[in-house]
Amino acid sequence: LNTELQARNEELDAFAHTVAHDLQNPLAIITGLAEEVEEGYATFSEEELQRYLQTMSRNGRKMSNIVDGLLLLAGVRKAEVERQPLDMAGGVAEAQQRLVDLARERQAEIILPPTWPVAQGHAPWVEEVWVNYLSNAIKYGGQPPQVELGAQVQADGTVRFWVRDNGNGIAPETLGRLFTPFTRLNQVRARGHGLGLSIVRRIVEKLGGQVGAESQVGQGSTFFFTLPGAGPPSKIAA
């Protein structure tokens, strides 16, 4: 009990840190630009105003994404769901659709397997896992990114799903701490992994699986998660 309470207190501290720092920066940018526009509106060219508005909009979306992530992270702990057989092809397609603009911008090639083994989970949560893994692979893959997805049934009946990119890879000292909740490592946070991978870990562990990553510097990275294999539906308690 003491260990669990300590872990929750540490998570609350990190949660507060994320709210204070990750939200503060885009909010400061929006506020600063709004004040500049308010004070000197008549002196700005149309091009300058457009650029300011785009920057404000981009940072507003960033704040919205952070809030959504925090709400999802908090909600997973309390939620009670039933694991059901997943339509993984459909879930991956939905995740790709959400990232279509990013993939088009980076000219990413996404390679899918012809079929998917059946696993159990909660479809909306698993879609979030794919969105996190795919967006990281597209952002930090090669130029252009080549992203390969796959799955394999393991000896214990669980299914291992993975996303492989052709990026620069991740240093060993960072790799082992990627999924640490709200990690503050500079390299991890600069790559945008901190909150997203905390969400992935909580979702997958709540569904009875595990997460991990494999990488060699200069040879890309593979992020994976496991889920229980096909079987009768089972309830996941809070």
Side-chain angles (χ1 to χ4, degrees), residues 121 148 161 235:
E148 184 178 0
F161 299 94
K235 184 166 287 189

Side-chain angles (χ1 to χ4, degrees), residues 15-31 59-68 70 189 195:
F15 186 97
H17 176 89
T18 299
V19 171
H21 292 272
D22 289 10
L23 288 177
Q24 186 179 47
N25 184 54
L27 180 60
I29 292 173
I30 292 171
T31 304
N59 280 276
R61 288 194 299 271
K62 181 178 180 180
M63 291 176 62
S64 178
N65 290 337
I66 291 171
V67 171
D68 288 345
L70 290 171
R189 294 188 67 80
L195 178 60

Side-chain angles (χ1 to χ4, degrees), residues 73-169:
L73 192 63
V76 170
R77 180 188 293 280
K78 301 175 183 178
E80 182 174 325
V81 299
E82 188 174 80
R83 281 195 307 236
Q84 297 277 359
L86 296 166
D87 170 18
M88 198 60 80
V92 171
E94 289 291 334
Q96 285 185 267
Q97 184 60 39
R98 289 168 59 180
L99 298 170
V100 66
D101 291 334
L102 177 64
R104 185 182 298 117
E105 175 190 340
R106 303 295 176 93
Q107 297 183 323
E109 178 187 7
I110 299 178
I111 303 169
L112 302 174
T115 60
W116 291 97
V118 178
Q120 288 195 85
H122 180 54
W125 288 359
V126 175
E127 183 180 317
E128 293 298 328
V129 174
W130 284 117
V131 167
N132 272 285
Y133 276 2
L134 280 169
S135 62
N136 282 336
I138 294 170
K139 290 176 184 176
Y140 310 118
Q143 298 182 356
Q146 186 178 74
V147 181
E148 184 178 0
L149 282 61
Q152 184 176 15
V153 179
Q154 303 187 111
D156 61 359
T158 61
V159 184
R160 185 180 189 265
F161 299 94
W162 47 266
V163 176
R164 181 177 299 133
D165 66 56
N166 62 335
N168 293 327

